[in-house]
């Protein structure tokens, strides 16, 4: 602004100077004309004003007076009324201009010139120019202010969007999504049907496995890709990332379940497409929980809770599917909460016990024994493992539970050996959560030392997905330590995930336990043996034992035996037995299998070639 004012001042001074200079030039021009008329007379000491001078000067209103001087003696030749002749005092208004005669040396003409009209004209011009300039300046200032306001509004909008958006995926964050859901819930718009929207809750299947296998950067790539696919498939709807690999979508003004089911199938198909991670292609699945909304019925937290329950039901019942919320899920949720509370007490009071199920070879000789935990609740009776094991996994109780299981197994091994039943090793299931504990190996060795046992007495069963965690993961380091210490490793539920042959070789596993779903399919009308045959053949090529789980019929056993499966486990041979039942069962086998000679001889390397 100072620069603008300085420029305006310089402009005003410049205009005044130019007008003054132009007025002075006109005064000199008019004076030369007057001097020429005066000097037309014969030279004389007393020069007189010719009659034509007044006539010539009258139109020139700015000429106030003319004084002709010879040396210092001046005579007034022309003067307007009340006008004084020029003197030699300095002044700006009126202006005096002295002209020297070119014909007569010493003769001069002093012209008294009125600058008032010039100054008024200059002032008017400056006023007009200043007004125009002021208007332009005002318009420019208003434009600048508007631009600044617009810029501030844009910045504020960006800040607002930044506060509402998930920085990784670009969709709404949890706070913004819940706010949008609240606005929808409190809207006064009436729905035309019983429901007026749907809240969908998404969770990615296999995401943790990708994080563990490829690293967190790959996990970020997956999350961004999934968000893009959701936006592409759903279009202009509210999508939010609630945290981790969980997303939610609000569909408004939709109440038809069949349309939502169709949309769910499309979403699962799109999200499950391969994702390029560096030079590797991998994939995730999608489990969806859906809750049909009706404005004003529930709070935002309750709506999300119900959609979340439906999503967990989708994961529990097979993953990669959409499940609608049902009232029965609330009871199941409360049941899980009760299980969690009671399980803590069960660990403290040691309400859990172990049962064992034998594994037999193709000639029905006992070659292995799997330990399974059971819980006898003081009021509810027997609690199925599929009820309390997932709860223990979720809340971290699986770590103390795993320690108790190993201690009970070691105690049972010692007790059965005291009954002259030799158990060279027993299989114990171990979870990823346990393997994540930095003290896992030390805790295991402390338990074995307390019971006087060695690593050769225990085999750890790990699920296929757990075994496939990344080479650099801490779980992988622990598995290698267990193998190096002499513990046997078996892959449980083989075929339910995805495996790397190099990874299996690296872990030095002794068994591949084929998931029971493949065994149950044997003999069914749509049974395809190719995958089962491939897994059995793979185990033989790797030099490890194949174990078929869930064998229940002689037909299944005959097919597996013919296919070359080395070991079998299931109700066909024996149901899980507690320690006392197992001792009695083992002694019953004595006559048939030379019990005194050691039915439980250690596994030999030649067993991998048994048909």
């Amino acid at each position: 602004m100072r620069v603008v004012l300085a420029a305006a001042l310089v402009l005003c001074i410049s205009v005044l100077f130019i007008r003054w200079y132009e007025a002075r030039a006109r005064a000199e021009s008019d004076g030369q004309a007057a001097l020429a008329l005066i000097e037309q007379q014969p030279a004389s000491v007393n020069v007189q004003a010719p009659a034509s001078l007044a006539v010539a000067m009258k139109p020139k209103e700015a000429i106030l007076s003319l004084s002709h001087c010879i040396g210092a003696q001046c005579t007034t030749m022309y003067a307007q009324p009340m006008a004084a002749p020029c003197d030699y005092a300095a002044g700006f208004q009126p202006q005096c201009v002295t002209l020297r005669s070119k014909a007569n040396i010493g003769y001069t003409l002093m012209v008294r010139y009125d600058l008032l009209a010039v100054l008024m004209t200059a002032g008017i011009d400056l006023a007009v120019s200043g007004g125009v300039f002021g208007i332009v300046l005002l318009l420019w200032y208003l434009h600048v202010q508007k631009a600044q306001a617009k810029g501030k509004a844009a910045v504020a909008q960006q800040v607002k969007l930044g506060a509402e958006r998930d920085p990784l995926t670009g969709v709404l964050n949890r706070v913004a999504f819940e706010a949008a859901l609240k606005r929808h819930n409190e809207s006064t718009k009436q729905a035309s049907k019983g429901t007026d929207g749907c809240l969908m809750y998404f969770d990615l299947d296999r995401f943790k496995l990708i994080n563990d296998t490829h690293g967190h950067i790959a996990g970020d790539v997956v999350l961004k890709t999934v968000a893009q696919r959701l936006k592409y498939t759903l279009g202009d709807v509210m999508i939010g990332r609630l945290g981790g690999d969980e997303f939610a979508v609000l569909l408004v003004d939709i109440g038809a379940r069949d349309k939502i089911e169709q949309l769910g199938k499309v979403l699962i198909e799109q999200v499950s497409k391969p994702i390029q991670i560096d030079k590797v292609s991998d994939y995730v699945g999608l489990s969806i929980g859906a809750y049909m909304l009706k404005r004003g019925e529930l709070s935002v937290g309750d709506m999300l809770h119900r959609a979340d329950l439906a999503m967990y039901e989708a994961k529990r019942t097979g993953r990669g599917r959409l499940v609608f919320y049902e009232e029965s899920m609330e009871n199941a949720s409360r049941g899980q909460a009760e299980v969690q509370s009671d399980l803590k007490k069960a660990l403290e009071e040691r309400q859990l016990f172990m049962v064992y199920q034998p594994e037999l070879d193709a000639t029905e000789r006992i070659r292995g024994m799997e330990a399974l935990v059971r819980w006898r609740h003081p009021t509810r009776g027997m609690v199925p493992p599929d009820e309390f094991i997932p709860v223990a996994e979720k809340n971290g109780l699986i770590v103390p539970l795993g320690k108790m299981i190993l201690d009970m197994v070691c105690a049972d091994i010692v007790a059965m050996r005291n009954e002259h039943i030799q158990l060279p090793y027993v299989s114990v299931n171990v979870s990823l959560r346990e393997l994540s504990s930095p003290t896992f190996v030390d805790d295991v060795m402390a338990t074995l030392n307390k019971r006087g046992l060695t690593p050769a007495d225990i085999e750890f069963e790990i699920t296929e997905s757990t075994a496939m965690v990344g080479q650099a993961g801490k779980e992988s380091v622990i598995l290698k330590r267990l193998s190096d210490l002499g513990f046997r490793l078996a892959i449980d539920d083989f075929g339910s995930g995805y495996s790397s042959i190099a990874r299996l070789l690296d872990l030095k596993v002794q068994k591949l336990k084929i998931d029971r779903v493949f065994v149950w399919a044997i003999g069914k009308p749509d049974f395809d043996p190719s995958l089962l045959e491939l897994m059995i053949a793979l185990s033989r090529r790797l030099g490890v034992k194949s174990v078929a789980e869930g064998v229940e019929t002689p037909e299944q056993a005959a097919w597996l035996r013919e296919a070359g499966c080395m070991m079998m486990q299931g109700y066909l041979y024996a149901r899980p037995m507690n320690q006392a039942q197992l001792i009695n069962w083992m002694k019953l086998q004595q006559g048939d299998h030379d019990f005194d000679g050691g039915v439980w001889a250690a596994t030999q390397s030649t067993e991998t070639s048994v048909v």
Side-chain angles (χ1 to χ4, degrees):
M1 184 57 70
R2 291 180 180 179
V3 174
V4 173
L5 292 175
L9 181 60
V10 170
L11 177 63
C12 291
I13 294 173
S14 299
V15 169
L16 288 174
F17 176 78
I18 292 171
R19 293 299 172 85
W20 173 82
Y21 183 81
E22 290 175 348
R24 185 179 180 86
R26 285 196 296 272
E28 290 179 350
S29 176
D30 293 342
Q32 289 290 351
L35 185 60
L37 289 175
I38 293 171
E39 290 183 340
Q40 286 179 355
Q41 304 176 84
S44 174
V45 175
N46 297 315
V47 179
Q48 300 296 321
S52 60
L53 182 62
V55 176
M57 292 298 106
K58 188 174 182 179
K60 304 181 183 299
E61 296 179 353
I63 301 295
L64 298 177
S65 66
L66 295 172
S67 299
H68 188 266
C69 300
I70 301 174
Q73 186 176 357
C74 298
T75 303
T76 300
M77 296 292 174
Y78 168 78
Q80 293 188 19
M82 304 300 292
C86 275
D87 55 28
Y88 289 98
F92 182 77
Q93 166 61 19
Q95 179 72 225
C96 284
V97 179
T98 301
L99 303 174
R100 297 185 183 278
S101 174
K102 296 179 181 179
N104 302 307
I105 299 174
Y107 284 33
T108 58
L109 182 68
M110 291 194 296
V111 181
R112 190 175 178 85
Y113 195 81
D114 187 9
L115 292 178
L116 184 60
V118 174
L119 293 175
M120 289 183 64
T121 304
I124 293 172
D125 290 345
L126 285 173
V128 172
S129 299
V132 173
F133 180 75
I135 292 173
V136 172
L137 183 62
L138 178 62
L139 292 175
W140 174 79
Y141 177 76
L142 292 175
H143 172 74
V144 170
Q145 290 296 315
K146 184 178 180 180
Q148 289 179 346
K150 188 176 180 180
K152 289 179 180 179
V155 171
Q157 182 67 15
Q158 289 295 326
V159 171
K160 182 180 178 182
L161 288 176
E164 292 181 346
R165 297 287 171 177
D166 174 58
L168 178 64
T169 62
V171 301
L172 296 175
N173 58 31
R174 187 182 190 101
V175 174
F177 183 83
E178 288 184 354
L181 185 58
K182 184 179 180 181
R183 287 193 297 270
H184 171 79
N185 192 41
E186 295 176 351
S187 171
T188 57
K189 178 181 176 181
Q190 295 299 317
S192 58
K193 298 183 180 180
T195 57
D196 54 10
C198 179
L199 176 62
M200 303 179 80
Y201 204 113
F202 303 147
D203 185 83
L204 302 183
D205 304 327
R206 301 186 71 256
F207 179 73
K208 187 179 187 307
L209 179 61
I210 287 181
N211 252 348
D212 293 335
T213 305
H214 303 293
H216 291 287
I217 294 178
D220 290 347
V221 172
V222 170
L223 290 173
K224 287 189 284 188
T225 303
V226 168
Q228 290 171 357
R229 291 177 179 179
L230 291 177
K231 288 186 282 188
Y232 173 80
T233 306
L234 294 168
D236 187 21
V237 301
M238 282 181 285
I239 305 174
R241 181 185 175 203
L242 304 184
D245 60 334
E246 295 184 347
F247 294 83
V249 165
L250 174 61
L251 303 174
V252 298
D253 300 327
I254 181 171
R257 286 199 174 199
D258 55 344
K259 292 183 179 180
I260 295 171
E261 288 176 345
Q262 185 177 2
L263 179 60
K265 290 178 181 178
V266 175
L267 285 169
I268 292 170
E269 179 182 353
Q270 291 296 321
V271 171
S272 302
K273 289 181 178 179
I275 299 173
Q276 194 67 28
I277 305 172
D278 291 332
K279 298 180 181 180
V280 180
S281 181
D282 212 325
Y283 72 96
V284 292
L286 188 66
S287 295
I288 307 175
Y291 174 65
M292 304 305 296
L293 302 175
K294 185 171 178 61
R295 288 180 177 90
E297 278 193 342
L298 298 172
S299 66
V300 169
D302 288 339
M303 289 188 290
L304 285 169
H305 171 67
R306 293 191 173 191
D308 187 30
L309 287 179
M311 181 273 292
Y312 273 105
E313 183 65 14
K315 294 182 79 70
R316 190 187 70 82
T317 55
R319 304 173 183 266
R321 58 197 300 261
L322 181 147
V323 172
F324 286 96
Y325 168 81
E326 301 291 345
E327 288 291 339
S328 59
M329 297 177 187
E330 287 287 355
N331 297 329
S333 177
R334 285 191 291 269
Q336 286 187 355
E338 292 176 2
V339 167
Q340 178 175 328
S341 175
D342 292 348
L343 186 55
K344 282 187 176 182
K345 188 176 181 181
L347 291 174
E348 295 171 358
E349 298 180 357
R350 298 185 74 88
Q351 298 172 6
L352 298 109
F353 64 96
M354 303 306 301
V355 295
Y356 300 87
Q357 188 174 34
E359 299 169 347
L360 296 88
D361 64 17
T363 60
E364 297 190 359
R365 291 182 299 172
I366 300 171
R367 291 295 184 184
M369 191 71 69
E370 180 180 5
L372 302 166
V373 67
R374 295 292 184 264
W375 178 14
R376 183 181 290 107
H377 193 281
T379 58
R380 295 176 56 194
M382 296 297 297
V383 180
D386 58 1
E387 282 191 22
F388 69 86
I389 293 295
V391 173
E393 285 274 11
K394 188 175 180 180
N395 60 26
L397 289 176
I398 193 68
V399 175
L401 176 59
K403 291 181 182 180
M404 179 180 291
I405 288 172
L406 183 62
D407 183 65
M408 289 190 293
V409 167
C410 291
D412 284 346
I413 291 175
V414 172
M416 284 187 279
R417 286 182 179 174
N418 290 337
E419 293 288 331
H420 306 293
I421 299 175
Q422 293 298 315
L423 303 180
Y425 67 91
V426 175
S427 299
V428 179
N429 291 282
V430 62
S431 71
L432 183 63
R433 192 80 173 259
E434 291 176 89
L435 293 175
S436 300
S437 172
T439 63
F440 178 73
V441 176
D442 293 336
D443 293 340
V444 168
M445 292 305 300
T447 301
L448 291 179
N449 292 334
K450 182 177 71 172
R451 300 294 182 179
L453 302 177
T454 67
D457 296 315
I458 298 295
E459 176 181 74
F460 286 113
E461 290 190 11
I462 51 178
T463 61
E464 183 179 13
S465 58
T466 300
M468 292 303 114
V469 294
Q471 297 275 353
K474 55 187 175 183
E475 298 89 353
S476 177
V477 174
I478 290 178
L479 287 172
K480 286 183 178 180
R481 280 189 64 192
L482 291 173
S483 180
D484 293 341
L485 287 170
F487 289 98
R488 301 167 185 267
L489 298 180
I491 305 299
D492 198 14
D493 300 332
F494 186 67
S496 60
Y498 85 104
S499 296
S500 162
I501 294 177
R503 184 79 175 117
L504 293 175
L505 292 173
D506 183 57
L507 289 177
K508 300 177 182 178
V509 300
Q510 280 77 38
K511 290 179 184 175
L512 296 181
K513 300 191 73 173
I514 299 171
D515 193 280
R516 64 187 66 240
V517 297
F518 300 100
V519 176
W520 289 343
I522 296 174
K524 301 290 176 61
D526 56 349
F527 173 55
D528 183 357
S530 56
L531 187 56
L532 194 50
E533 290 173 342
L534 180 62
M535 288 188 282
I536 294 172
L538 175 63
S539 64
R540 294 177 65 86
R541 290 294 300 269
L542 294 176
V544 300
K545 286 181 274 190
S546 55
V547 183
E549 297 183 286
V551 180
E552 296 184 355
T553 67
E555 291 76 18
Q556 293 171 346
W559 189 95
L560 290 165
R561 194 178 298 112
E562 183 67 23
C565 185
M566 300 175 187
M567 297 174 65
M568 296 173 226
Q569 177 183 2
Y571 288 177
L572 177 64
Y573 304 104
R575 291 178 175 271
M577 299 168 280
N578 60 30
Q579 183 205 75
Q581 292 170 331
L582 178 61
I583 291 174
N584 291 333
W585 185 85
M586 289 290 291
K587 288 184 176 180
L588 287 175
Q589 314 305 310
Q590 180 176 358
D592 297 332
H593 301 289
D594 193 16
F595 177 81
D596 291 334
V599 174
W600 279 77
T603 302
Q604 304 297 317
S605 59
T606 55
E607 288 180 344
T608 58
S609 61
V610 175
V611 178

